[in-house]
Amino acid sequence: MTDAQRHDSNPRLDLREIYRPIERELETTTTTLRNSLRHGDPTLDGYLDYSFQLGGKRLRPALLLLAAQAWGRVEERCYLCAAALEMIHTGSLVHDDILDGARFRRHLETVNVKWDSHRAVLIGDLLITRAFDLICACDDSVIFRKVSNLCQATVEGELFQTNAIGNFNLTLDDYNVIVRGKTASLIECSTFLGGYLAGARDADLDDFARFGRMIGMAFQIFDDVLDLVGDERATGKTLGTDLANRKETLPMIRYFESLSDSEAETLRERLATDLTYVERVEIADEMRRSGAVEAACKDADALISDALQLLTRLEARGCALGRQVSSDAFASLAALARFVARRNI
């Protein structure tokens, strides 16, 4: 059984159970989020309300709240930051769907399909600007700089990826730069802010950030895998968009490593054409048979393993410092890391 098959066949982790230590805190965050998405103009309220449905599992708010609770304190600004990060995430999804030409997300039409790309750009912008209202309300320069740097890193990652479209000579280092910016930076920001707002400092705060960064990197790798071999009915997203948009992801990098020079050149020529759906399926099957998909999953598994070890050390250090650490919250952070490696939607 391949790693991709193993992840798909594992019992589904129950997010409700994982989120139990922060159940009330998540409810407060959701209320903050809904109130922040109210505009007053019926048309804009319709756009914002629809976008709210695209966010999914509230992974980033949960990570922030769990990190704060794990270190002993969830304070009022946690709700503002958690809601803001979810709004930034949703805004980035709206923009991503335009870039990818995606038609579905969470079993719903993407904003660019339901309306059009022009409005989708502006709706994404509106979500992000409203998020900064919440960040400004925190009145903390550290928080503002971290979120500002996050937004810059996300845009830079997307620009690096856009510039790399059609370039099937990317190295692993190139890929890591793209992924750390466009995906991992937001998850890293979530765990950093949770730790910061709970009073973590110096090396401990760095470790909260590193934990988020590693699971964020793994999250994107599995996303790349699922784009190739996932079930569109289960994911609720348009699959095969990476091949259609000529993006080289980690499974493709690993596939090229398994080919001879002549085979690699033939594949590059093939990928430069407008692939049909059937051709994309054929290439995905070839990649799976070559072991490239399994190799990419193992890369992500290694990141998850390192993140879990880091979390164990962080909890032990918190106890040694006399922090009122929450073992339940630490356990849920570990479960969320494992969830990243098992999700199929």
Side-chain angles (χ1 to χ4, degrees), residues 229-305:
V229 299
D231 183 338
E232 194 163 288
R233 291 170 298 178
T235 62
K237 297 194 296 184
T238 306
L239 299 182
T241 58
D242 291 335
L243 283 175
N245 292 323
R246 292 180 290 172
K247 294 179 182 178
E248 184 168 13
T249 59
L250 186 57
M252 183 64 72
I253 291 172
R254 294 305 187 204
Y255 185 37
F256 272 115
E257 291 174 350
S258 72
L259 302 176
S260 67
D261 290 344
S262 61
E263 289 171 333
E265 187 56 35
T266 298
L267 178 60
R268 289 188 183 95
E269 292 173 358
R270 186 180 182 190
L271 292 170
T273 64
D274 291 329
L275 297 171
T276 65
Y277 176 78
V278 172
E279 288 173 322
R280 295 199 300 271
V281 171
E282 289 174 351
I283 292 173
D285 286 343
E286 291 167 7
M287 293 169 66
R288 185 168 46 228
R289 289 195 301 270
S290 75
V293 170
E294 183 176 2
C297 287
K298 286 181 177 178
D299 290 332
D301 282 335
L303 286 165
I304 296 296
S305 179

Side-chain angles (χ1 to χ4, degrees), residues 96 99-100 154-167 170 174-175 177-179 182-183 220 224 242 245-250:
D96 284 349
L99 295 172
D100 294 341
T154 302
V155 174
E156 288 173 350
E158 289 289 355
L159 281 171
F160 287 142
Q161 180 168 264
T162 300
N163 289 338
I165 287 175
N167 177 7
L170 289 185
D174 295 331
Y175 175 83
V177 167
I178 291 170
V179 171
K182 77 175 202 129
T183 302
Q220 185 59 57
D224 294 342
D242 291 335
N245 292 323
R246 292 180 290 172
K247 294 179 182 178
E248 184 168 13
T249 59
L250 186 57

Side-chain angles (χ1 to χ4, degrees), residues 85-327:
L85 293 186
E86 185 66 9
M87 291 169 74
I88 290 170
H89 169 59
T90 303
S92 71
L93 293 182
V94 173
H95 289 161
D96 284 349
D97 289 338
I98 301 167
L99 295 172
D100 294 341
R103 299 186 59 80
F104 296 98
R105 183 177 289 277
R106 306 290 172 201
H107 306 283
L108 296 171
E109 286 183 325
T110 55
V111 173
N112 49 295
V113 170
K114 185 171 180 62
W115 287 287
D116 54 56
S117 293
H118 291 86
R119 273 176 284 193
V121 169
L122 297 172
I123 291 167
D125 290 346
L126 182 60
L127 285 161
I128 294 168
T129 54
R130 289 180 78 85
F132 269 91
D133 279 344
L134 298 179
I135 294 302
C136 288
C138 292
D139 194 23
D140 187 308
S141 62
V142 173
I143 295 173
F144 189 88
R145 282 199 306 271
K146 187 66 178 178
V147 177
S148 177
N149 289 340
L150 145 71
C151 291
Q152 180 175 322
T154 302
V155 174
E156 288 173 350
E158 289 289 355
L159 281 171
F160 287 142
Q161 180 168 264
T162 300
N163 289 338
I165 287 175
N167 177 7
F168 294 103
N169 292 287
L170 289 185
T171 65
L172 182 58
D173 286 343
D174 295 331
Y175 175 83
N176 286 337
V177 167
I178 291 170
V179 171
R180 180 171 177 178
K182 77 175 202 129
T183 302
S185 59
L186 181 51
I187 296 178
E188 175 183 336
C189 186
S190 301
T191 51
F192 173 92
L193 289 180
Y196 172 75
L197 289 165
R201 293 295 182 269
D202 302 328
D204 302 319
L205 190 53
D206 289 341
D207 282 348
F208 272 113
R210 286 178 57 214
F211 172 76
R213 186 188 316 143
M214 286 188 283
I215 65 173
M217 298 285 288
F219 187 100
Q220 185 59 57
I221 293 170
F222 282 117
D223 215 47
D224 294 342
V225 167
L226 290 172
D227 185 75
L228 290 166
V229 299
D231 183 338
E232 194 163 288
R233 291 170 298 178
T235 62
K237 297 194 296 184
T238 306
L239 299 182
T241 58
D242 291 335
L243 283 175
N245 292 323
R246 292 180 290 172
K247 294 179 182 178
E248 184 168 13
T249 59
L250 186 57
M252 183 64 72
I253 291 172
R254 294 305 187 204
Y255 185 37
F256 272 115
E257 291 174 350
S258 72
L259 302 176
S260 67
D261 290 344
S262 61
E263 289 171 333
E265 187 56 35
T266 298
L267 178 60
R268 289 188 183 95
E269 292 173 358
R270 186 180 182 190
L271 292 170
T273 64
D274 291 329
L275 297 171
T276 65
Y277 176 78
V278 172
E279 288 173 322
R280 295 199 300 271
V281 171
E282 289 174 351
I283 292 173
D285 286 343
E286 291 167 7
M287 293 169 66
R288 185 168 46 228
R289 289 195 301 270
S290 75
V293 170
E294 183 176 2
C297 287
K298 286 181 177 178
D299 290 332
D301 282 335
L303 286 165
I304 296 296
S305 179
D306 288 346
L308 292 173
Q309 291 178 33
L310 177 61
L311 201 62
T312 299
R313 294 195 298 271
L314 192 55
E315 182 176 7
R317 199 155 62 241
C319 291
L321 290 170
R323 302 285 312 184
Q324 296 296 313
V325 302
S326 168
S327 295

